[in-house]
């Protein structure tokens, strides 16, 4: 039995994997707990341990893979910090788990884990190289090159969310302007929608109804829902967010020519039209000889990608 | 003895390498011929063969490495075409050389070969990952990841020259606008200088003198020379070209976090001030936690980088 830990920031999940008769891994059991507002690192760690022991029923696991939702150094098994939960700073999480469960443990951040999960078990099977991008409240990414996670010299590779595509664009939390994240993530969609609603008082009726005329209720999901219901303003915003992401992906393809780019995260649940717009913008932003090399696919493992990736780290 | 062939478009070079007493490779002899205007692929191939036989003096080489200046597929040993010399289209150059010289042969394009040469023998020694960028009449690039050339799914990776950094910028030969090449290469520097000279009739006196008031004499080299002699307009243009390149490198570092970026090609001979401007722009365009990861160094092997890379392909 192999365990996978997914420290997700707002929720923590523990899954048990076993090989079936054909030798393929199956997710045979899982436990999940929301991380309460007062949680700190020690609390989340204790809850994960309790879930693990529940799944193990006294057995020793063959290995444990860990996906951590935040900056982490895989080579050292070190959590740098969590953006959601205090008290994780500079934790040697990998070795702590290895001591407690007396087994082999590997760890990586959630974007790298999800990339590996999709590569081995999801939308990236058969691809030697891929970039996995998660478009959610923020934008993150992870590289698989030659079949393995590529982490970069300081284990900070994959930050497509902070590639600048418009130096005059909106300010970013990183201190610069016009990062992909600020032009494509859920919060960006909400911000762009609010600006459009303020600018165009006669448009966006469906969206205004959905949020009860309360801008505080604006979210990427609401804008997507309004677009689905035919709101032209919301459709414009969703298309713009998709084009912004696609433009950035085109640049990535010129630079790295990956076999595939895989999009996961809540915003990418926006459906076929969203993907059409991303692909069209990417194709328009590569050299002619690379147009056929634009292969952008939806993730297949959803929220489970980090768990499958954690499995792949040790399986 | 290992031979290295460098088909350079305007000149062709053949070098012989041997290990010295300490086991290190030394370039022991070389032949070089300009490629005359009427040359075609068969002519350049015959000249290279003649140079090789001259260096070999009847010996059989242990291996031959080939750097080709143009689109090529290393996996097949195939030259797609040359932008400079007709008649190279779809040549199986690697196997032709292997048959003729009865030895082991490997081949890659000149950017990848130069990247590998710098990684093994030049400015990239000790770096597991690096991007080599050549800034000359155009802008090209090659990746070394985990110590090996990374070519991408269709062997088209490394095209930093066609990453778009200003969608409203000048048109590019690739059909898009604002590619790095159009904002940083020698021709771009000449174009930007011409625009500045036309726009500001009272500035650029030194540069105007150097080109004898003849815009046809403008080149990256002339602008650099004028800048060196204190021409403020020329200094502005050189600084802008450096900042454009540095901005793009910042984005690359966010995405890939290479251990080092190495700059070669004629424009990068512009000296310390040029490198300062590139580095400052790159540092300003990465996330704060990546600022220490900005390591941009001049190439060390100059025009010989493809030869040393060709050696490394087989050595």
């Amino acid at each position: 039995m192999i365990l996978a830990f997914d420290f997700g920031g707002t929720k923590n999940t523990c899954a048990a994997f076993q090989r079936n008769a054909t030798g393929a891994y199956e997710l045979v059991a899982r436990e999940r707990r929301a991380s309460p507002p007062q949680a700190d690192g020690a609390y989340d760690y204790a809850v994960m341990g309790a879930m693990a022991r529940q799944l193990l029923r006294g057995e020793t696991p063959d290995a444990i893979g860990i996906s951590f939702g935040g900056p982490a150094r895989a080579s050292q098994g070190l959590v740098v910090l969590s953006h959601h939960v205090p008290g994780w700073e500079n934790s040697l999480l990998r070795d702590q788990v290895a001591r407690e469960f007396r087994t082999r443990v590997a760890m990586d951040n959630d974007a790298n884990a999800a990339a590996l999960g999709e590569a081995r078990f999801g939308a990236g099977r058969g691809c030697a190289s891929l970039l996995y991008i998660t478009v959610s409240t923020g934008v993150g990414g992870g590289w698989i090159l030659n079949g393995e996670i590529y982490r970069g010299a300081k284990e900070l590779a994959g930050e497509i969310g902070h590639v600048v595509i418009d130096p005059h664009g909106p300010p970013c939390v990183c201190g610069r302007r016009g990062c992909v994240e600020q032009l494509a993530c859920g919060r960006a969609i909400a911000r762009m929608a609010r600006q459009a609603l303020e600018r165009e008082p006669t448009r966006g009726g469906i969206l205004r109804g959905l949020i009860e005329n309360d801008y505080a209720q604006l979210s990427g999901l609401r804008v997507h829902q309004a677009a689905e219901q035919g709101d032209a303003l919301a459709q414009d915003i969703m298309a713009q967010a998709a084009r912004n992401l696609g433009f950035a992906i085109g640049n990535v393809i010129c630079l790295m020519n990956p076999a595939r780019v895989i999009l996961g995260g809540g915003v990418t649940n926006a459906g076929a039209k969203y993907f059409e717009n991303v692909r069209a913008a990417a194709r328009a932003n590569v050299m002619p000889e690379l147009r056929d090399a634009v292969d952008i696919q939806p993730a297949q493992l959803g929220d489970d990608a980090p768990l499958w990736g954690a499995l792949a780290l040790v399986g």
Side-chain angles (χ1 to χ4, degrees), chain A:
Chain A
M1 183 187 289
I2 290 180
L3 290 188
F5 292 0
D6 174 14
F7 291 96
T10 57
K11 58 181 184 291
N12 299 303
T13 310
C14 181
F17 291 90
Q18 282 182 323
R19 288 190 190 271
N20 64 19
T22 68
Y25 282 107
E26 279 183 3
L27 198 163
V28 293
R30 80 163 85 199
E31 293 290 328
R32 175 169 292 176
R33 298 281 183 283
S35 184
Q38 72 277 15
D40 62 7
Y43 179 93
D44 280 354
Y45 181 86
V47 169
M48 186 67 83
M51 293 192 289
R53 283 183 293 273
Q54 190 176 336
L55 293 175
L56 287 169
R57 299 161 183 262
E59 274 188 64
T60 298
D62 296 310
I64 298 176
I66 305 175
S67 165
F68 190 85
R73 285 197 207 114
S75 63
Q76 300 164 267
L78 176 80
V79 171
V80 177
L81 61 89
S82 162
H83 293 298
H84 300 279
V85 180
W88 275 112
E89 292 77 7
N90 295 312
S91 306
L92 288 165
L93 176 58
R94 181 190 62 196
D95 292 352
Q96 192 178 356
V97 171
R99 275 194 308 273
E100 180 169 343
F101 290 90
R102 298 175 183 213
T103 191
R104 183 166 58 89
V105 181
M107 183 188 98
D108 213 320
N109 70 56
D110 54 348
N112 285 346
L116 186 63
E118 291 287 347
R120 296 274 171 85
F121 303 109
R125 276 172 289 182
C127 297
S129 57
L130 65 84
L131 175 62
Y132 170 85
I133 307 176
T134 172
V135 190
S136 178
T137 45
V139 172
W143 279 108
I144 304 296
L145 299 176
N146 297 321
E148 301 292 334
I149 295 172
Y150 169 79
R151 299 184 174 91
K154 303 212 167 187
E155 304 188 57
L156 286 165
E159 289 286 3
I160 185 172
H162 294 283
V163 164
V164 171
I165 54 174
D166 178 4
H168 308 291
C172 184
V173 289
C174 75
R176 294 171 298 142
R177 287 183 167 273
C179 293
V180 170
E181 180 161 297
Q182 293 303 322
L183 295 163
C185 76
R187 282 177 303 195
I189 290 168
R191 190 200 67 242
M192 293 190 289
R194 176 175 182 152
Q195 290 167 342
L197 289 171
E198 291 177 340
R199 199 170 54 230
E200 308 186 63
T202 63
R203 293 182 75 210
I206 295 171
L207 178 56
R208 289 176 205 274
L210 274 178
I211 62 168
E212 301 169 307
N213 282 310
D214 174 9
Y215 289 147
Q217 292 187 40
L218 268 174
S219 66
L221 182 60
R222 288 281 176 270
V223 179
H224 163 54
Q225 289 169 333
E228 289 283 291
Q229 293 174 30
D231 187 301
L233 180 144
Q235 288 168 348
D236 290 351
I237 300 298
M238 290 304 298
Q240 187 58 53
R243 284 195 298 267
N244 291 341
L245 182 63
F247 176 86
I249 292 174
N251 273 348
V252 171
I253 290 172
C254 282
L255 194 66
M256 300 308 300
N257 184 22
R260 186 167 289 167
V261 175
I262 297 174
L263 305 186
V267 172
T268 67
N269 293 324
K273 184 70 192 165
Y274 178 85
F275 271 85
E276 273 173 43
N277 284 323
V278 173
R279 291 185 186 115
R283 270 197 301 269
N285 196 32
V286 294
M287 304 159 67
E289 53 268 52
L290 274 164
R291 249 168 237 152
D292 291 344
V294 175
D295 182 352
I296 302 173
Q297 301 296 337
Q300 289 179 355
L301 302 175
D303 290 346
D304 288 347
L307 285 176
W308 285 93
L311 165 68
L313 284 170
V314 294

